[in-house]
Amino acid sequence: MEHGPGTGYELPGRHESFWMETTPETSYPPLPGNVETDVAVVGGGITGITAAVLLKQAGYAVTVIEGDRICKGVTGHTTAKVTSLHRLIYANLIDRFGGGQAKQYADANQAAIEMIASFVREYNIPCDFERKPAYTYAESAESRDLVAAEADAARSLGLPATFTDDVPLPGRTYGAVRFADQAQFHPLKYLLRLASLIPGDGSRVFEKTRALEVHDERDRSMVRTERGTVTAKAVVLATHYPFYDGPGFYYARMYPSRSYVLGIRIGEPFPEGMFINAESPAHSWRSQPAEGGELVLVGGMEHRTGENVDTREHYRSLADYARSVYPVRSIDYHWSAQDYITIDGVPYIGRLADGHENVYIATGFRKWGMTNGTAAAMILADMIRGRENPWSGVYAPDRFKPMASIQTFLAHNIEVAEKYIGGAISRPSGDLRDVLPGEGRILMIEGRKTGVFRDREGRVHAVNPTCTHKGCVVAWNSAEETWDCPCHGSRYDAYGKVIHGPAVKGLPPRGG
Ligand code: FES
């Protein structure tokens, strides 16, 4: 069992994503200098890789650049449900967007399931792809009407939805919306094979190449990286959160959210299906074939990134919850993920903004990145090819529906502004002697806020805790041992190196 930081807690199992532990690390080269290409794809997750494959198949030379190794980011930490059942969304979408655009969202996500299935078939990818029903179930009597309404709304949009009282999980439930013929898979086995289709015929994949900025001109764009430039007719920003915001102000229209996953073994077979509850906090379930017997993935306990709480508590709560449902024999893995939630709950997929005709974004998948990310790749590939896409309207980044989202928009911006100005959630506390091995804290040292991490050998590492993206004060994440920014979700390792954008520069060390 891996031990948590030296403050008396033990976190269960290996601190690693099962997907990453069971696939080899990639070794694509870094960008060798300045290159030209038809389409530059920034970000090697499910959106970037799928878009690159679709565009290469359409005859384009594509260059993928990834700041770290491909598939190690959000895609490597998902629960990998391939479903158009996104907890509760369709009744709300019909209400806010109307039936036409709600149907676009439904069709896009159903088409994404079939796109993944067809890649698996066509390239014979051994990725544990299995058809399963998906359920959103009510844990309380009050939620029963909500899941029933969701079943009605989804069915009215042509989705394979029914309401059922037969929820094959232990414990009391109050009905569920069930989607037939959905799927689950091993996302990295799938994507590493897809990525291997990219190199050749003028297309390339470069890793360890962090993009720093984008220059967009009338008929071409240039991505400047730390290792050279990529000049292209079109640029796809598939970096989860667009590190280049342009005039789109995406940083003000989304918030980052973290959630947690445990890989457990239970003393009985897991039922047929993938499950998530309708209430907060989220409780998500699926199974996965694994060496040594079926692994069960239980996830949830979401919260905003950078909240100044002991994040190890979320793993502990999830473990307690899992034990309350199943006889847990062992907890073999624990990992966490970060997602972005847009102010109206629908991703932004399309052109970055007016005047940036060659730059495309896909972000804000609201924890449903397997299908929304694949749909994004299909939409952007069509746009770059100059083809109509039937689902692009609902995802248009320049939509703004004041009636639907103005209150959330204002509340979010006021909250972010407070954090930006005051570092309200990262108030300095204590002094250097209070910082235990494996712990980080914001301290006031010589009149300046300082992020202090003490490693297990007792050495102290001090950084300027001001996020290099737009200046919010980072907070210590005790479960992951990272500095996390509450404003737009940039994350840095304990020594200040960027591990997740939008920031592209690390936290500077504080001397002395
Ligand atoms: Fe934007 Fe930190 S991520 S200020």
Side-chain angles (χ1 to χ4, degrees), residues 272-286:
E272 180 72 5
M274 305 172 289
F275 306 88
I276 192 164
N277 64 334
E279 298 82 2
S280 281
H283 296 138
S284 157
W285 295 92
R286 66 161 280 193

Side-chain angles (χ1 to χ4, degrees), residues 114 231 269 339 350 358 412 438 465 479:
E114 299 314 319
T231 305
D339 284 281
N358 314 318
H412 173 61

Side-chain angles (χ1 to χ4, degrees), residues 316-360:
R316 288 157 58 88
S317 304
L318 197 55
D320 289 346
Y321 166 72
R323 288 193 189 97
S324 77
V325 177
Y326 277 109
V328 175
R329 286 210 172 139
S330 63
I331 298 177
D332 294 19
Y333 297 90
H334 68 272
W335 72 86
S336 65
Q338 179 158 299
D339 284 281
Y340 287 93
I341 318 288
T342 67
I343 53 175
D344 59 14
V346 174
Y348 301 125
I349 301 168
R351 285 202 170 82
L352 178 74
D354 282 349
H356 291 257
E357 301 303 306
N358 314 318
V359 183
Y360 300 81

Side-chain angles (χ1 to χ4, degrees), residues 241 251 420 467-472 474 485-490 492 501-503:
Y241 187 106
Y251 62 82
Y420 176 82
C467 178
T468 59
H469 178 230
K470 294 200 181 287
C472 295
V474 297
C485 181
C487 287
H488 318 111
S490 290
Y492 307 83

